[in-house]
Amino acid sequence: MKIPRDDNRLASASGDDYEGLINENRSEVKTRSYNPITNCFLTMLAFVQFSWIHHRTEFILALVLAGSVSLAVTGVIEAYENGQNVNVRKHSFSRDYTDLKSTLELKLGGVDHWCLDGSDSRCPQCEDPTHPSSRSHSQHWGDTYVRNVKLAKDYLSENPAGVDVIFLGDSNTEARVGTFKGLKGEGNLAEVLTKSKHKFEKLFKKKSGGEYNGLALGIAGDSSPNLLWRIQQNEFRDLEPKVWWINIGSNDLLSTRCSEEITIMGILRVVEELMAKDDGAIIVINSILPVAVKSSMSLEGKYIHNKYWYSINQVNQNLQKFAKKHPGVKFFDAKEILTEFKGHNLYMRKEMFVDKVHLSVDGQAALAEAQANTVKNILQKKSENDMKVDGNPSKSGDYRNSDSDGSDASSPDWWTEQDYDDFLNFDIDLDGSDDWL
């Protein structure tokens, strides 16, 4: 009860007056208004003051924890890690290469820009994508090329029945014969290369239980003009596979810093060179594999800025469109195999890579199995068309013109549960050189 302001009134009041004074004071209390916002603010201020005076250490730690949780939940930390302030330049080009019919249409005069950064002068190592180029100045490249020639010769003599598929590419292809830059490596690298070779032979060597015979001819660091040179020099020693499998283009973007347009021209120049052989073989263009720029292996999404992924996607989309318009050419998309979504963001599967670029044993195994399934579909279609030709001579026997699996050669049900080797978590020493793919 509120004490009346006039104590004398209460002392001299009779019984009725006393009740009246009490009711009057109650009315004053009920009618008085309180501001809840002000009360809340003053309460918080009092709590902060009390905590600062009596529990200063705990109060500071609580503030740090609250700030850290807020930064993590809002994505600010991930944004910083992925370089939010890095300006990811997105360039485009107007020319359509999907209807290309001949190498004569690959004209450099209409190129929008040569370099990945949108310029024409800041990529001195970017070469003419229409002309072959060797890397004879590199000893490891020359040694590996000679080794590949020997592999092809030995393969021809040891397998008179021929080869079903030849894989042409860079480091991830070279790993399938157990080497990197022509060497078997040491320590963890040697273990990964040995197991990668074993996984490949298990699927593409009939003597080892594989359903098909396959040969991998890759050289770490090769770009499209380098592969073109190797093809023109008959690296595969007149082997005639039923399927040519191309996995090239990463070094065009990452090492020589060529633009997306130049990279596309280089890959299509290789495709046209193989098409000119007119040997009835299917040509499969493997998508350029994902590349990470941060340890989180992020590719795209909120607060994610991968300076290569946009360019890789642009090249892959154009190659896929090209394949759809050209019988005998297929496009194999490895995105579903090697990437995964976490929420709305896309990441590379860490177990599939030993670093930000190179495939792990698991990655090699998963990719090789998906490729084996695609080769199986292609060769089964060929066999069906051959049977049609035998039954009706008027039918065309060129299985490249058939509508096999569509131009997208990837299979959605590529994954089967296997007892893969444990993931080896280490980084390959790239020794600072440019030929690291």
Side-chain angles (χ1 to χ4, degrees):
M1 181 184 73
K2 182 179 178 182
I3 299 176
R5 289 185 291 271
D6 189 352
D7 291 341
N8 294 327
R9 291 176 58 199
L10 182 60
S12 61
S14 62
D16 294 338
D17 293 336
Y18 180 78
E19 291 294 333
L21 289 173
I22 292 177
N23 292 332
E24 179 183 345
N25 286 321
R26 287 177 177 174
S27 298
E28 290 181 6
V29 172
K30 291 181 179 179
T31 57
R32 183 174 297 171
S33 60
Y34 294 93
N35 191 327
I37 297 178
T38 302
N39 287 345
C40 181
F41 174 76
L42 293 176
T43 302
M44 291 178 60
L45 184 61
F47 175 78
V48 170
Q49 186 178 12
F50 174 83
S51 300
W52 180 257
I53 295 173
H54 299 284
H55 304 284
R56 184 171 300 180
T57 302
E58 294 86 344
F59 181 71
I60 293 174
L61 292 176
L63 288 178
V64 172
L65 178 61
S68 300
V69 171
S70 299
L71 292 175
V73 171
T74 57
V76 175
I77 294 178
E78 186 175 10
Y80 176 78
E81 184 186 57
N82 288 283
Q84 185 177 10
N85 295 325
V86 176
N87 183 21
V88 179
R89 300 177 181 179
K90 297 181 178 180
H91 306 286
S92 59
F93 51 91
S94 57
R95 189 172 179 183
D96 182 12
Y97 291 91
T98 61
D99 290 321
L100 186 70
K101 302 298 182 184
S102 168
T103 56
L104 298 177
E105 299 178 40
L106 293 172
K107 298 179 180 179
L108 298 177
V111 171
D112 186 80
H113 55 276
W114 274 79
C115 304
L116 190 61
D117 62 2
S119 68
D120 291 321
S121 59
R122 290 194 288 270
C123 51
Q125 293 182 319
C126 184
E127 301 175 298
D128 184 343
T130 64
H131 290 167
S133 173
S134 71
R135 290 194 291 145
S136 55
H137 62 278
S138 172
Q139 181 177 353
H140 91 78
W141 187 88
D143 293 343
T144 309
Y145 170 74
V146 172
R147 188 278 312 272
N148 284 354
V149 172
K150 185 177 185 303
L151 282 176
K153 285 183 177 179
D154 294 343
Y155 195 96
L156 190 61
S157 60
E158 295 173 3
N159 299 273
V163 59
D164 295 308
V165 54
I166 292 181
F167 296 89
L168 301 173
D170 46 39
S171 60
N172 282 317
T173 302
E174 184 185 348
R176 293 180 163 185
V177 295
T179 65
F180 179 75
K181 295 184 178 181
L183 303 175
K184 295 183 178 180
E186 299 178 355
N188 288 336
L189 174 58
E191 185 177 2
V192 168
L193 293 174
T194 300
K195 290 184 177 181
S196 296
K197 178 182 179 182
H198 174 72
K199 294 290 185 181
F200 177 75
E201 291 181 346
K202 189 176 180 181
L203 292 168
F204 290 100
K205 188 175 182 179
K206 291 183 177 180
K207 293 181 180 179
S208 299
E211 190 171 355
Y212 305 103
N213 277 328
L215 177 63
L217 300 176
I219 300 182
D222 263 8
S223 61
S224 299
N226 303 144
L227 178 56
L228 179 62
W229 187 92
R230 289 160 50 196
I231 293 173
Q232 292 187 349
Q233 297 301 313
N234 195 20
E235 180 185 52
F236 34 81
R237 300 294 97 177
D238 295 320
L239 285 171
E240 296 183 353
K242 301 178 181 69
V243 178
W244 295 101
W245 199 293
I246 303 170
N247 192 350
I248 201 71
S250 294
N251 284 293
D252 301 63
L253 293 171
L254 275 65
S255 297
T256 61
R257 310 290 296 173
C258 293
S259 68
E260 299 89 346
E261 184 174 8
I262 295 296
T263 301
I264 292 170
M265 292 178 67
I267 297 173
L268 294 184
R269 177 66 182 87
V270 170
V271 173
E272 290 292 335
E273 187 71 20
L274 293 175
M275 292 177 68
K277 295 173 67 66
D278 196 25
D279 54 4
I282 285 286
I283 300 171
V284 180
I285 307 174
N286 203 103
S287 64
I288 297 180
L289 304 186
V291 174
V293 296
K294 296 292 181 179
S295 58
S296 63
M297 309 295 273
S298 55
L299 295 174
E300 66 180 40
K302 187 177 182 181
Y303 301 117
I304 292 176
H305 297 275
N306 185 317
K307 61 183 179 181
Y308 295 119
W309 183 240
Y310 172 81
S311 300
I312 291 173
N313 260 336
Q314 192 175 11
V315 173
N316 287 341
Q317 290 168 8
N318 277 270
L319 294 175
Q320 187 172 22
K321 292 178 181 177
F322 174 87
K324 288 181 178 180
K325 295 182 179 181
H326 291 76
V329 180
K330 307 296 179 184
F331 179 81
F332 178 86
D333 193 354
K335 180 179 177 180
E336 291 187 8
I337 304 172
L338 303 175
T339 64
E340 62 181 347
F341 277 97
K342 296 179 181 179
H344 297 290
N345 296 342
L346 184 65
Y347 293 83
M348 294 163 58
R349 296 177 185 265
K350 287 189 176 182
E351 70 274 13
M352 298 293 183
F353 295 86
V354 294
D355 53 28
K356 298 172 184 176
V357 179
H358 299 94
L359 293 172
S360 66
V361 176
D362 287 1
Q364 287 282 3
L367 183 62
E369 184 169 352
Q371 291 171 334
N373 289 336
T374 301
V375 171
K376 180 178 181 179
N377 293 335
I378 290 174
L379 297 185
Q380 282 181 347
K381 194 65 179 181
K382 177 186 182 303
S383 177
E384 292 174 4
N385 281 306
D386 287 345
M387 293 177 63
K388 291 180 181 179
V389 172
D390 293 338
N392 187 353
S394 64
K395 298 281 187 180
S396 172
D398 190 353
Y399 63 98
R400 296 180 301 165
N401 293 319
S402 64
D403 184 16
S404 57
D405 303 311
S407 296
D408 188 350
S410 61
S411 175
D413 54 350
W414 59 272
W415 186 265
T416 58
E417 295 295 334
Q418 291 193 11
D419 184 19
Y420 290 147
D421 297 306
D422 292 335
F423 168 60
L424 300 176
N425 186 14
F426 71 96
D427 290 328
I428 292 178
D429 182 9
L430 302 177
D431 63 31
S433 61
D434 290 331
D435 51 353
W436 53 291
L437 294 177

